[in-house]
Amino acid sequence: MASDVKRVVLAYSGGLDTSVILKWLQTTYGCEVVTFTADLGQGEELEPARKKADLLGIKPEHIFIEDVREEFVRDYVFPMFRANALYEGLYLLGTSIARPLISKKQIEIARKVGADAVSHGATGKGNDQVRFELSYYALEPDIKIIAPWREWDLRSREQLIAFAESHQIPIAKDKRGEAPFSVDANLLHSSSEGKVLEDPAIEAPEFVYQRTIAPEDAPDKATIITVGFEKGDAVSIDGEALSPASLLTRLNELGKDNGIGRLDLVENRFVGMKSRGVYETPGGTILLKAHRGIESITLDRGAAHLKDDIMPRYAELIYNGFWFSPEREMLQALIDRSQEFVTGEVRVKLYKGNVDVIGRTSPYSLYNQDLVTFEEGAVAYDHRDAAGFIKLNALRLRTLGSRARQIGE
Amino acid sequence: MASDVKRVVLAYSGGLDTSVILKWLQTTYGCEVVTFTADLGQGEELEPARKKADLLGIKPEHIFIEDVREEFVRDYVFPMFRANALYEGLYLLGTSIARPLISKKQIEIARKVGADAVSHGATGKGNDQVRFELSYYALEPDIKIIAPWREWDLRSREQLIAFAESHQIPIAKDKRGEAPFSVDANLLHSSSEGKVLEDPAIEAPEFVYQRTIAPEDAPDKATIITVGFEKGDAVSIDGEALSPASLLTRLNELGKDNGIGRLDLVENRFVGMKSRGVYETPGGTILLKAHRGIESITLDRGAAHLKDDIMPRYAELIYNGFWFSPEREMLQALIDRSQEFVTGEVRVKLYKGNVDVIGRTSPYSLYNQDLVTFEEGAVAYDHRDAAGFIKLNALRLRTLGSRARQIGE
Amino acid sequence: MASDVKRVVLAYSGGLDTSVILKWLQTTYGCEVVTFTADLGQGEELEPARKKADLLGIKPEHIFIEDVREEFVRDYVFPMFRANALYEGLYLLGTSIARPLISKKQIEIARKVGADAVSHGATGKGNDQVRFELSYYALEPDIKIIAPWREWDLRSREQLIAFAESHQIPIAKDKRGEAPFSVDANLLHSSSEGKVLEDPAIEAPEFVYQRTIAPEDAPDKATIITVGFEKGDAVSIDGEALSPASLLTRLNELGKDNGIGRLDLVENRFVGMKSRGVYETPGGTILLKAHRGIESITLDRGAAHLKDDIMPRYAELIYNGFWFSPEREMLQALIDRSQEFVTGEVRVKLYKGNVDVIGRTSPYSLYNQDLVTFEEGAVAYDHRDAAGFIKLNALRLRTLGSRARQIGE
Amino acid sequence: MASDVKRVVLAYSGGLDTSVILKWLQTTYGCEVVTFTADLGQGEELEPARKKADLLGIKPEHIFIEDVREEFVRDYVFPMFRANALYEGLYLLGTSIARPLISKKQIEIARKVGADAVSHGATGKGNDQVRFELSYYALEPDIKIIAPWREWDLRSREQLIAFAESHQIPIAKDKRGEAPFSVDANLLHSSSEGKVLEDPAIEAPEFVYQRTIAPEDAPDKATIITVGFEKGDAVSIDGEALSPASLLTRLNELGKDNGIGRLDLVENRFVGMKSRGVYETPGGTILLKAHRGIESITLDRGAAHLKDDIMPRYAELIYNGFWFSPEREMLQALIDRSQEFVTGEVRVKLYKGNVDVIGRTSPYSLYNQDLVTFEEGAVAYDHRDAAGFIKLNALRLRTLGSRARQIGE
């Protein structure tokens, strides 16, 4: 299998696993490795990754490091939040939404450096392998994909470390021991799973949480903020215009400080089994509530209900890795079409894990006080219209009722 | 219009509004009024309603008072919660779900006493008129319906009180003034709307809340409970078996004490306008989370996703008043079919407004630790299968990618 | 009611009914009437309508006559056919799709001539009143709408004719008698309903059909045509480029001659009752089959299935009159997004009522002979991939099966 | 791979392919083969299969032959037709629906004879392997599955025949040559694909059709039949009660004689590519039309539209092989719930490929002539109700229209 790859672009974090992969690719495939390391807001410095790649023999011109935070939030996170997407009613899709972007960058680099393969560090039981590879194939149908975790015979942490040692891969001291769980992180969320989390009956230990303080530790006084929206996307906090990534960073800080965005979930993976994860999405949790808040006064009922109806399917597509599919793009066209007037401001109260919308205003508000007020207003709502509305809506039910009575039901 | 009604069954609360309606029916239609007062868990005593009906000239045998709390929770609330129903992503449908039961009881009484009409106190701009009347018509297609708020010319609180005074209807002292908002309540929730709540930009004042304390006022220490489920319905708390209504009552207390279940929402009414409401659903909020928790380990992915996909439609049907429709019953059949093994226990942490699932167990759990663990287990999961799975899922995307490349996209 | 209208734009056919309406508007509302007569391809000359309007006292500058056939097909019929829309599985929506265009033209004229009202000749039991009026309101929210059939007390054909006679409205001799059924027609279809068709147990008599010959009378030899498509719309027949209306006209002739496009249907009206109609849609029936034919090789599965899933809802919206609604526009955005490569040619065989696709070609075909052929081709399809694909798709079913066995199901 | 199977139940047709498989299983796996041959109405005698199995060394008690036609139609075809299922708008799922039954029988036999494996003759590029294997796994999660076409190295017809010859498998003379296309058949349909059909641009040759005469060859006079339904299933033809399989057989004859039920289709396979098939479903085509006909007068609009909305998903599940999945069963529960009153008679006209419903009657008809008639009837339909109905349906559109005007759109 190893003979026909010449140059491979690896999604490289600089950590132990992808360093082992890097070396394994060199030794097994005898090919040149090109590394891509992205700053997605995972909260780690990138320069160590460059040094390590260099140390492992990657040519300088083949070490690609890029800060993609703005692109990530603007072109992936925000479009997804326009849909109010939740997988299985609860999960904000923080890992799922980052994979397509990494894949796209790898393919772009592969074209630039003339690579014939791409590789990633996702394991053989998870969703991420699917998300990476569906994206690769959609963008570059003939690309060769190498998924080391499915190919090699390293089956435990010990074997991994043994491989590292025998190939002179430096191992950080704190990485020698078995990690008590595994983590994925980016600007939208961090997720933890495995090991101490594997029994869904047992509460996740506090040390699992990395990105939020516990509600119990949050201030006793609420923080109130105003989030500004334009055409469905958040654009400001408390009146200050912010770029997408800056805005999400700010919301993350606010969420973290107020103990917001923790989720302990058993979910259904695309590959067929259930798994348990702990997610922390502080800013995203605020953003979802705020977005629903601004939609509540600017979006028509027909538009809102259609969005709600198709949302689970849209979320499932992203979860399953079909970001670059025609059906996701069609649903996005539908969603985006609805957001033209989703503009205005939402006041949100943050308090010890709670996010509550307490006020909404918009120049395009469809809320009409005259229409709802108890007293009949100037507007064209005649109480008697309701009688006809009910009568015709009831007509088919009455016909059914008559039939039921006739047959003595 | 007034001539052809002989006997009308009125949904009677004993309050000022329905007492005025009672008298108005007597004087305008010259008909006999039969009252029906239900204990739905709204938290008011029923005997005053009996006395008042008696005072207003209703024959003792025409005063119907019934405690329907168990029926309400068992046959309406619980079936709805099997669906994880949320209207517009957030509203737990507390008012909507009570109307069909009241209507059904009125129709049953109408048959018993030979009444030819029914009447209710819902106004002409709201959803409740629709919910009452669709239910009446579905169950008794030829029933005559009288909706006083759409018929009479009383247009303000002053006129209502004047009518009451001129007809010797006693008025509680605290009802003389204008109420700052209007309320509906039952065992599932209380809702508040109107007046001080009409501007959606302005935060709901604390005095609006009646059924929950503020998260700020809740204990500094979390309460942890275990909710037991059988076939999708909650049956116990902390190991104690409870009837449906008792269980919901207990959850309400727990929720209230921990500041749980408040919602400030701008929603879309079926009659076409937006309105702003404040809902308090303490027990229901806990129940929804716990139900999703037990489903997360007992429900198959295919079943769960199908449920999520049809949920918004199911919720809309209930919101719009179509409980007694074939399509709601068809969806219920689908939902109920999925709940056979939704049995087990969920540990839930309640803390200052937060409801978090922290553990789940079930004799029918589909969660399989062997399948998800990093190490390959004894079970039949072969990492290499994932490659084929991805390849075939990618096939159509690769074909699309090839086309795109051919045409130089 | 009659006092506050100054000028009304009437959808005027020139026939007896709308002539009576015209006069009734003048006499009842004392207002100026502006007539709008459209050539939608209904197959009647328009000049008689002009003469008759003139005769009834309409100012020349207030008589609007327009050939809207191209606009009708291009902006209404074709977008709808991109969706393969069928109401209740069978009906091609020929009447529904014409109403929004007529309404839009009336509103445009109302603005031009400063009219404050619009009026139409649809009856009070049908769908068309809803379609006209929802469109009026969506485009001009404060317009006054006059629906004579719901207002006046003319309750039978005799009364109508009596009114006509007493107001010097000329009556065509063949219109004196009771028509055996009523008709609506435009370039897409003609529909017949009422009277002789009212009993759904009885076969529609042959004289009802106006736009198609019977399959029995069609030629014994098939006609084979090639329909060319570009981006989802038909653009040519047998290689000849045709404008939208010309193309549909040609297809109508071909369909008519081959006995194609008859439908005898009991359908559910939006206003709540069932009705029976006979539809003739010769060209549309061919177009639907041909469009599905070209989609079958150019549309990806994910796109195609999403389209099929949302189609019934899209069709229902059009049937119910919600063309000018945000949700229809959102669905249209989704549909249109899918049509970019729906380009190519379809060979269709027409024979005595049958329309069969017998060949399809496209420069953008996704059909790949290499992939399906029994012999393994050069392409990247490995039979072994299927094993992994099946194994992971089966994983959750196996977990369910294990549970079932454990509990002795 | 070959060592661990002791006894395998093979879906055995008696033809060349499965005879080669039988021998290959014996020689490669060294295991005992148990054959299952079903009469699904494919139109072949079963005794030759018994003889051939005997000849190939299968013990008499391990040769299972069963006539499953009634079970097939009653428990698989009819439930599916209650849904009006069509895959990709056109395909009646004739092959898809037979696979689960065969799989179920194989698993039952495996349990009876203590077999540890099952095997089938489906190839590695098709849907049938998926349908067989998902069903096996769902019913017996630990069963071993052998799919010879994915395992062996026979890659052409020549190799197959060479294998047969070298193993003394008798080969029918007419099977020596290359078949011009491959066929699957059962009581519901026959399908043809491959070879001469592989180019979708070229019309299917007449010799492909086996189960229907051409419309051109059908009688010049229409045949009119009456199909009786009870609770959604067809039970009689022209008043004669018939068992499910007898009824479908009769409809097949009627369809065949009238040139009904041919379909030439390019479809999307679950395994990711497009394929072209020719289907002949004479009886099913009549049945679908008749079922929609009886539903049109007995099914409420809400029920009917919900069914139409979920139908594509239901059809996709069956096509993809998920008959034995919880989501298919949930959808079935929904569908079946709707069929209680789908009882009555439908008159259908069959003529040269056309199937037209020309009359419907039912003791449970919801069609109400009083409601639709032009003249106002005795029933409670007041034309004026329509005004209120429209006004409230328009309210949100008017609000949108006002906003659009305010912002100068």
Side-chain angles (χ1 to χ4, degrees), chain B residues 15-16 40 72 133 141 171 175 228 246 265 273 286 297 319 404:
Chain B
L16 176 63
L40 277 152
F72 174 51
E133 298 178 27
I171 306 170
K175 298 288 178 183
S246 308
L265 184 70
M273 78 282 280
I286 301 171
I297 58 166
Y319 184 87

Side-chain angles (χ1 to χ4, degrees), chain A residues 3-308:
Chain A
S3 58
D4 58 341
V5 171
K6 298 213 184 70
R7 194 173 278 177
V8 59
V9 180
L10 170 67
Y12 182 62
S13 73
L16 176 63
D17 288 27
T18 50
S19 294
V20 167
I21 289 173
L22 190 163
K23 185 56 72 178
W24 181 86
L25 289 168
Q26 289 171 329
T27 55
T28 309
Y29 280 86
C31 66
E32 210 171 9
V33 176
V34 177
T35 60
F36 170 60
T37 308
D39 185 352
L40 278 151
Q42 62 270 48
E44 283 170 12
E45 286 182 44
L46 304 184
E47 281 313 306
R50 183 190 303 276
K51 273 191 201 142
K52 208 156 173 187
D54 185 67
L55 181 78
L56 293 167
I58 309 303
K59 296 182 196 161
E61 69 270 26
H62 282 175
I63 300 175
F64 289 83
I65 290 185
E66 193 177 349
D67 180 348
V68 297
R69 287 177 295 175
E70 290 294 349
E71 183 175 357
F72 175 50
V73 181
R74 185 188 63 229
D75 295 345
Y76 295 79
V77 174
F78 275 5
M80 182 174 78
F81 272 78
R82 283 175 216 143
N84 304 319
L86 286 174
Y87 181 68
E88 302 194 339
L90 294 165
Y91 171 40
L92 281 157
L93 295 162
T95 297
S96 325
I97 192 63
R99 300 319 190 191
L101 171 55
I102 297 170
S103 301
K104 177 165 162 276
K105 292 287 170 186
Q106 282 181 268
I107 294 297
E108 286 170 3
I109 292 168
R111 288 178 186 154
K112 201 178 302 176
V113 302
D116 50 352
V118 286
S119 183
H120 60 77
T123 65
K125 284 188 166 177
N127 294 304
D128 283 330
Q129 56 178 340
V130 190
R131 295 167 187 152
F132 277 121
E133 298 179 25
L134 292 183
S135 297
Y136 296 146
Y137 279 135
L139 298 172
E140 192 64 43
D142 296 330
I143 197 79
K144 164 89 182 148
I145 295 172
I146 306 174
W149 283 104
R150 296 201 306 260
E151 294 187 14
W152 65 27
D153 47 11
L154 304 177
R155 281 289 168 268
S156 67
R157 187 121 202 113
E158 290 75 39
Q159 295 179 327
L160 213 68
I161 287 175
F163 183 99
E165 286 176 340
S166 72
H167 289 85
Q168 286 78 45
I169 300 171
I171 306 169
K173 280 210 185 87
D174 61 336
K175 298 288 176 182
R176 290 214 159 252
E178 191 84 55
F181 56 90
S182 68
V183 173
D184 175 66
N186 59 48
L187 198 56
L188 180 55
H189 92 339
S190 73
S191 83
S192 306
E193 58 179 21
K195 302 283 164 50
V196 301
L197 295 170
E198 278 187 9
D199 184 345
I202 297 177
E203 184 172 4
E206 183 60 28
F207 66 77
V208 166
Y209 296 97
Q210 309 155 47
R211 180 173 286 219
T212 52
I213 62 171
E216 285 87 341
D217 298 331
D220 288 331
K221 202 171 161 317
T223 303
I224 291 173
I225 60 168
T226 298
V227 184
F229 284 88
E230 256 180 54
K231 298 183 187 287
D233 294 338
V235 295
S236 68
I237 296 177
D238 290 334
E240 182 187 355
L242 291 165
S243 73
S246 308
L247 188 140
L248 185 51
T249 302
R250 183 78 60 88
L251 286 182
N252 277 338
E253 293 159 2
L254 287 159
K256 173 185 188 161
D257 292 347
N258 288 287
I260 286 164
R262 295 181 166 193
L263 173 67
D264 173 345
L265 183 71
V266 176
E267 78 200 44
N268 294 290
R269 288 190 187 158
F270 187 28
V271 290
M273 77 281 281
K274 289 182 181 291
S275 75
R276 194 258 198 105
V278 163
Y279 299 108
E280 295 166 83
T281 322
T285 302
I286 301 170
L287 191 57
L288 174 68
K289 281 276 181 81
H291 184 256
R292 276 212 175 264
I294 190 65
E295 283 196 338
S296 76
I297 58 166
T298 57
L299 212 60
D300 165 72
R301 185 184 71 202
H305 288 201
L306 177 54
K307 282 190 69 204
D308 281 349

Side-chain angles (χ1 to χ4, degrees), chain C residues 198 274 305 316 327 396, chain D residues 299 305 316 327 367 396:
Chain C
E198 278 188 7
K274 288 181 181 294
H305 289 201
E316 186 186 58
E327 61 271 31
R396 63 183 182 91
Chain D
L299 211 60
H305 289 200
E316 187 186 56
E327 62 271 30
Y367 181 91
R396 64 182 181 92

Side-chain angles (χ1 to χ4, degrees), chain C residues 87-90 123-125 129-130 133-134 137-138 140-142 149-150 155-156 197-203 215-216 220 222 262 264-266 268-276 289 292 295-301 304-305 308-309 312-313 316 322 324-327 349 351-354 356-361 366-367 369-377 381 383-384 386-387 389-391 393-394 396-398 400-402 405, chain D residues 87-90 123-125 129-130 133-134 137-138 140-142 149-150 155-156 197-203 215-216 222 262 264-266 268-276 289 292 295-301 304-305 308-309 312-313 316 322 324-327 349 351-354 356-361 366-367 369-377 381 383-384 386-387 389-391 393-394 396-398 400-402 405:
Chain C
Y87 182 68
E88 303 194 338
L90 295 163
T123 65
K125 283 186 168 180
Q129 57 179 338
V130 190
E133 298 179 27
L134 291 184
Y137 279 136
E140 192 65 44
D142 296 329
W149 281 103
R150 295 202 307 259
R155 284 284 168 271
S156 67
L197 294 169
E198 278 188 7
D199 185 346
I202 297 176
E203 185 173 4
E216 285 87 342
D220 287 331
R262 294 180 167 196
D264 173 345
L265 184 71
V266 177
N268 293 290
R269 288 190 187 159
F270 187 29
V271 291
M273 78 282 280
K274 288 181 181 294
S275 74
R276 193 257 198 106
K289 280 276 181 81
R292 275 211 177 264
E295 282 195 337
S296 77
I297 57 165
T298 57
L299 211 60
D300 164 72
R301 184 185 71 202
H305 289 201
D308 281 349
D309 281 343
R313 181 171 193 156
E316 186 186 58
F322 288 93
F324 295 115
S325 71
E327 61 271 31
K349 179 182 161 190
Y351 173 69
K352 283 188 183 285
N354 298 281
D356 295 310
V357 171
I358 58 173
R360 330 86 183 132
T361 58
L366 296 169
Y367 181 92
Q369 212 152 325
D370 271 0
L371 275 176
V372 289
T373 191
F374 179 80
E375 325 287 332
E376 282 201 47
Y381 187 95
H383 280 197
R384 275 160 294 256
F389 179 72
I390 295 170
K391 287 279 264 306
N393 271 300
R396 63 183 182 91
L397 303 179
R398 295 173 77 179
L400 282 167
S402 295
R405 210 171 39 186
Chain D
Y87 181 68
E88 303 194 337
L90 294 164
T123 65
K125 284 186 168 178
Q129 55 177 341
V130 189
E133 298 179 26
L134 292 183
Y137 279 135
E140 193 65 44
D142 297 330
W149 282 105
R150 296 201 305 261
R155 285 284 169 270
S156 67
L197 294 170
E198 279 187 9
D199 184 346
I202 297 177
E203 184 172 6
E216 284 87 343
R262 295 180 167 196
D264 173 346
L265 183 70
V266 176
N268 293 290
R269 288 192 187 156
F270 187 29
V271 290
M273 79 280 281
K274 289 182 180 291
S275 74
R276 195 260 197 103
K289 280 278 182 80
R292 276 212 175 264
E295 282 195 340
S296 77
I297 59 166
T298 57
L299 211 60
D300 164 72
R301 184 185 70 202
H305 289 200
D308 282 348
D309 281 343
R313 181 173 195 157
E316 187 186 56
F322 289 93
F324 295 115
S325 71
E327 62 271 30
K349 179 181 162 192
Y351 173 70
K352 283 186 184 286
N354 297 280
D356 295 310
V357 170
I358 59 174
R360 329 88 183 132
T361 58
L366 296 169
Y367 181 91
Q369 210 153 327
D370 272 359
L371 275 177
V372 289
T373 191
F374 179 81
E375 325 286 333
E376 283 202 46
Y381 189 95
H383 280 196
R384 275 158 293 256
F389 179 73
I390 295 168
K391 289 278 264 306
N393 271 301
R396 64 182 181 92
L397 303 179
R398 296 173 77 179
L400 282 167
S402 296
R405 210 171 38 187

Side-chain angles (χ1 to χ4, degrees), chain D residues 39-51:
Chain D
D39 185 351
L40 279 150
Q42 63 269 49
E44 282 171 11
E45 285 182 46
L46 304 185
E47 283 313 306
R50 183 191 303 277
K51 273 192 200 138

Side-chain angles (χ1 to χ4, degrees), chain C residues 329-342:
Chain C
E329 290 167 2
M330 288 161 67
L331 288 169
Q332 195 72 54
L334 177 150
I335 293 158
D336 291 354
R337 184 77 177 70
S338 73
Q339 301 290 296
E340 188 175 355
F341 298 108
V342 180

Side-chain angles (χ1 to χ4, degrees), chain C residues 73-309:
Chain C
V73 181
R74 186 188 64 230
D75 295 344
Y76 296 79
V77 174
F78 275 6
M80 182 173 78
F81 271 78
R82 283 175 216 144
N84 303 318
L86 286 174
Y87 182 68
E88 303 194 338
L90 295 163
Y91 171 40
L92 281 157
L93 295 161
T95 297
S96 323
I97 192 62
R99 301 319 190 190
L101 171 55
I102 299 171
S103 301
K104 177 164 162 276
K105 293 287 172 188
Q106 283 181 267
I107 294 297
E108 286 169 3
I109 292 168
R111 287 178 188 155
K112 201 179 300 176
V113 302
D116 50 351
V118 287
S119 183
H120 62 76
T123 65
K125 283 186 168 180
N127 294 306
D128 283 332
Q129 57 179 338
V130 190
R131 294 166 187 153
F132 278 121
E133 298 179 27
L134 291 184
S135 297
Y136 296 147
Y137 279 136
L139 299 171
E140 192 65 44
D142 296 329
I143 197 79
K144 165 91 183 146
I145 296 171
I146 306 174
W149 281 103
R150 295 202 307 259
E151 294 186 15
W152 67 26
D153 49 9
L154 305 178
R155 284 284 168 271
S156 67
R157 185 123 203 113
E158 290 76 40
Q159 294 178 329
L160 214 67
I161 287 175
F163 182 99
E165 286 176 336
S166 72
H167 288 85
Q168 285 79 47
I169 300 171
I171 306 170
K173 279 214 185 85
D174 62 336
K175 299 286 178 184
R176 290 218 159 249
E178 192 84 53
F181 56 90
S182 69
V183 173
D184 173 68
N186 60 48
L187 198 55
L188 179 55
H189 93 339
S190 74
S191 83
S192 306
E193 58 178 22
K195 301 281 163 50
V196 302
L197 294 169
E198 278 188 7
D199 185 346
I202 297 176
E203 185 173 4
E206 184 60 30
F207 65 77
V208 165
Y209 296 96
Q210 311 156 46
R211 182 173 285 218
T212 53
I213 62 171
E216 285 87 342
D217 299 331
D220 287 331
K221 203 173 160 317
T223 304
I224 291 174
I225 60 169
T226 298
V227 183
F229 284 88
E230 257 181 51
K231 297 181 188 287
D233 295 337
V235 295
S236 69
I237 296 176
D238 290 335
E240 181 186 356
L242 290 165
S243 73
S246 309
L247 187 141
L248 186 52
T249 303
R250 183 78 60 87
L251 287 183
N252 278 338
E253 293 159 4
L254 287 158
K256 174 184 187 163
D257 291 347
N258 288 287
I260 286 165
R262 294 180 167 196
L263 173 68
D264 173 345
L265 184 71
V266 177
E267 78 200 44
N268 293 290
R269 288 190 187 159
F270 187 29
V271 291
M273 78 282 280
K274 288 181 181 294
S275 74
R276 193 257 198 106
V278 163
Y279 300 108
E280 294 166 85
T281 321
T285 300
I286 301 171
L287 191 56
L288 175 68
K289 280 276 181 81
H291 184 256
R292 275 211 177 264
I294 189 63
E295 282 195 337
S296 77
I297 57 165
T298 57
L299 211 60
D300 164 72
R301 184 185 71 202
H305 289 201
L306 176 55
K307 282 190 69 206
D308 281 349
D309 281 343

